[in-house]
Amino acid sequence: MSHGIHPQNAMPWTRIVPLGDLAALAYFDQESAALRFAANVRRQNCPWLIDVVQAYSSVAVFFDPTRITYGGAVAALSADDLSHGTHDEAPGRLHRVPCCYELALDLERVAEHRGLTGEEVIRLHAQTIFTIYAIGFCPGYPFLGYLPEPLCGVPRLPAPRLRVEAGTVGITGRQSGIYTEPRPGGWNLIGRTPLQLVDVADGYFPLRTGDRIQFEQIDLRTFKEMQGQRLPVS
């Protein structure tokens, strides 16, 4: 017996399955479809809805079991106004994030691996508008997709560093990311932002999936002047 519900072709997902006893996990063909679905479910804000968590091409919809069952949640999510919606989704908020590439630890490694100069690595990274496709690893850490092709394919470090400072910008594979707290890490570190992106005690989490990020190159002096400021959010 199947543990998931395999909806008709009219459904936006490829499959949907239980995630524990408090959520339904829907899988999609591509990240853009998952983003649209998550935004639409949030906008509808059904009374049984607890949270919507999108991660790349999947969306977990958490529900209140005192208000609805798993089967009822799937049926509700299958309704046309929830599964497809009636509005085109606007692009997520665009955040301009300053980045001091002078504080890179692995810029030469990335450049050598891809046959580029350090200046070319910086230019390619800073001109890309990334989408936040998932948040995790540590509080508020944004996984950013996708790197331009000339920067793709750089592997993780042979051994992770024991400490990567908050604000450090890294890349690996097709992704970029920003360490929001000091953590061990094995990504290639190509810069650092002076901005504070998370304050757990204060409940400050300005980034969400679907938002976009573009890095803006700054020098070391500007980094020191801005250090500790919060990311402005409109």
Side-chain angles (χ1 to χ4, degrees):
M1 181 181 227
S2 173
H3 293 289
I5 293 178
H6 298 273
Q8 299 176 352
N9 293 335
M11 293 300 101
W13 51 68
T14 57
R15 64 189 179 103
I16 188 166
V17 297
L19 180 62
D21 57 358
L22 298 176
L25 180 62
Y27 293 92
F28 297 81
D29 285 330
Q30 52 190 346
E31 290 89 342
S32 58
L35 282 169
R36 287 194 299 271
F37 177 76
N40 192 50
V41 174
R42 290 190 188 104
R43 184 176 60 246
Q44 295 289 333
N45 195 26
C46 294
W48 47 263
L49 181 66
I50 294 177
D51 199 6
V52 181
V53 180
Q54 186 243 339
Y56 290 93
S57 58
S58 67
V59 178
V61 179
F62 292 83
F63 55 84
D64 182 348
T66 67
R67 290 174 174 259
I68 199 168
T69 64
Y70 169 75
V74 172
L77 294 171
S78 303
D80 190 63
D81 58 343
L82 274 176
S83 64
H84 295 285
T86 57
H87 305 283
D88 291 332
E89 292 302 327
R93 297 173 301 173
L94 177 60
H95 305 279
R96 306 284 186 181
V97 176
C99 181
C100 180
Y101 293 96
E102 295 174 44
L103 295 174
L105 299 179
D106 300 310
L107 189 62
E108 290 185 5
R109 179 177 190 267
V110 172
E112 182 178 356
H113 193 278
R114 299 304 299 157
L116 301 168
T117 66
E119 290 76 13
E120 288 172 327
V121 172
I122 293 169
R123 177 181 57 80
L124 287 165
H125 189 260
Q127 74 182 16
T128 301
I129 297 178
F130 295 94
T131 297
I132 301 175
Y133 285 124
I135 291 178
F137 170 59
C138 61
Y141 183 106
F143 288 88
L144 308 174
Y146 285 111
L147 291 167
E149 186 59 33
L151 293 184
C152 288
V154 183
R156 294 170 183 257
L157 301 179
R161 292 184 172 89
L162 296 181
R163 181 183 173 96
V164 177
E165 297 300 330
T168 301
V169 177
I171 69 171
T172 192
R174 299 172 61 205
Q175 303 175 94
S176 191
I178 309 172
Y179 289 79
T180 54
E181 294 183 340
R183 282 288 191 280
W187 287 30
N188 302 276
L189 309 182
I190 64 168
R192 188 176 172 193
T193 180
L195 299 184
Q196 180 184 19
L197 299 178
V198 161
D199 187 332
V200 175
D202 195 30
Y204 175 69
F205 297 93
L207 302 176
R208 61 179 181 233
T209 55
D211 284 359
R212 297 169 297 152
I213 284 180
Q214 183 168 22
F215 294 96
E216 295 183 340
Q217 185 176 4
I218 59 172
D219 59 21
L220 187 58
R221 177 179 177 180
T222 304
F223 176 92
K224 292 177 179 178
E225 291 172 350
M226 297 181 67
Q227 192 162 17
Q229 295 181 19
R230 285 188 169 186
L231 175 70
V233 179
S234 57

